């Protein structure tokens, strides 16, 4: 995949290279300099820890139920064994369902992250778009993502300009 990206980028650069302008941004650097991003991250971490503790509490309860079952199994009738096994499985499923609800692909954490991060990402995108239109950039590449950039001249890095456009001084 990396080789394909590099070849495609080189092909794009070779076709009319003199007519096209390119720029780089460092998204990690930009995000680190936006206080709202740091606050959103901390909020996500707090809610994630809270939800993880809830899931772990259910898992611990299920493990305790199983341990008690193992200690008492010799004294239980078949009916009692079956009932206790069902209770343990129900508790394990409850923990699993809660984990999926909070941390699944479309879970609460995903929704929370999306609601907190999308406005910040949109603001950055609009700043990059405005700068690109103003300066005539045909392509802006994020140098912080591992998409096959072997070298990027600091001369074409517009990260500080993006931060200034967003109202944050470069640091």
């Amino acid at each position: 995949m990396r080789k394909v990206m590099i070849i495609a980028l080189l092909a794009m650069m070779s076709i009319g290279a003199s007519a096209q302008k390119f720029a780089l941004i460092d998204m990690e650097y930009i995000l680190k300099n936006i206080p709202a991003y740091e606050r959103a991250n901390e909020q996500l971490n707090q809610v994630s820890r809270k939800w993880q503790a809830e899931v772990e509490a259910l898992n611990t309860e299920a493990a305790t139920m199983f341990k008690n079952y193992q200690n008492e199994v010799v004294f239980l009738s078949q009916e009692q064994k079956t009932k206790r096994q069902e209770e343990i499985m129900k508790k394990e499923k409850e923990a699993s369902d809660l984990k999926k609800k909070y941390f699944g692909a479309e879970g609460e954490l995903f929704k929370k992250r999306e609601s907190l991060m999308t406005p910040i990402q949109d603001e950055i995108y609009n700043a990059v778009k405005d700068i690109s239109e103003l300066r005539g950039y045909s392509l802006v590449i994020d140098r912080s993502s591992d998409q096959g950039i072997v070298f990027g001249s600091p001369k074409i890095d517009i990260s500080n300009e993006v931060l200034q456009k967003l109202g944050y001084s470069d640091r």
Side-chain angles (χ1 to χ4, degrees):
M1 183 66 179
R2 259 183 143 192
K3 289 181 182 180
V4 173
M5 285 288 291
I6 292 171
I7 292 170
L9 185 59
L10 290 174
M12 287 179 5
M13 292 169 82
S14 66
I15 299 172
S18 61
Q20 297 186 10
K21 290 174 68 177
F22 305 95
L24 296 175
I25 60 170
D26 186 335
M27 189 62 80
E28 287 179 19
Y29 170 77
I30 291 170
L31 291 172
K32 284 180 186 173
N33 284 283
I34 297 177
Y37 176 76
E38 294 297 322
R39 285 190 302 273
N41 251 348
E42 183 53 38
Q43 194 175 352
L44 287 171
N45 288 337
Q46 286 175 357
V47 76
S48 178
R49 284 190 297 268
K50 176 183 175 255
W51 290 340
Q52 185 62 38
E54 288 179 36
V55 171
E56 287 176 9
L58 286 176
N59 280 328
T60 300
E61 194 175 332
T64 301
M65 289 170 69
F66 182 71
K67 186 176 180 180
N68 290 342
Y69 168 77
Q70 284 181 315
N71 291 337
E72 299 166 3
V73 71
V74 293
F75 304 112
L76 301 174
S77 69
Q78 188 58 43
E79 183 179 306
Q80 290 171 320
K81 288 178 187 177
T82 303
K83 183 180 178 199
R84 297 277 287 276
Q85 289 169 354
E86 288 172 357
E87 289 171 352
I88 293 166
M89 288 190 309
K90 182 179 175 187
K91 188 60 69 177
E92 288 172 341
K93 183 175 181 349
E94 188 179 338
S96 176
D97 289 347
L98 188 62
K99 184 176 182 177
K100 184 178 177 183
K101 175 186 171 192
Y102 288 152
F103 302 107
E106 296 292 322
E108 296 297 319
L109 187 63
F110 172 82
K111 292 174 187 171
K112 185 88 169 159
R113 179 177 287 118
E114 194 172 65
S115 73
L116 292 172
M117 297 301 184
T118 298
I120 297 168
Q121 291 169 335
D122 289 348
E123 193 177 9
I124 293 169
Y125 171 79
N126 289 329
V128 170
K129 183 178 173 221
D130 290 347
I131 293 167
S132 296
E133 289 172 355
L134 180 70
R135 302 279 169 108
Y137 296 128
S138 302
L139 180 67
V140 177
I141 301 168
D142 180 9
R143 75 177 339 158
S144 66
S145 66
D146 193 22
Q147 296 298 319
I149 297 174
V150 177
F151 172 77
S153 171
K155 294 177 186 175
I156 63 171
D157 189 323
I158 61 170
S159 299
N160 286 326
E161 193 172 347
V162 171
L163 284 169
Q164 289 172 344
K165 178 89 175 155
L166 292 169
Y168 303 101
S169 64
D170 56 310
R171 298 174 191 190

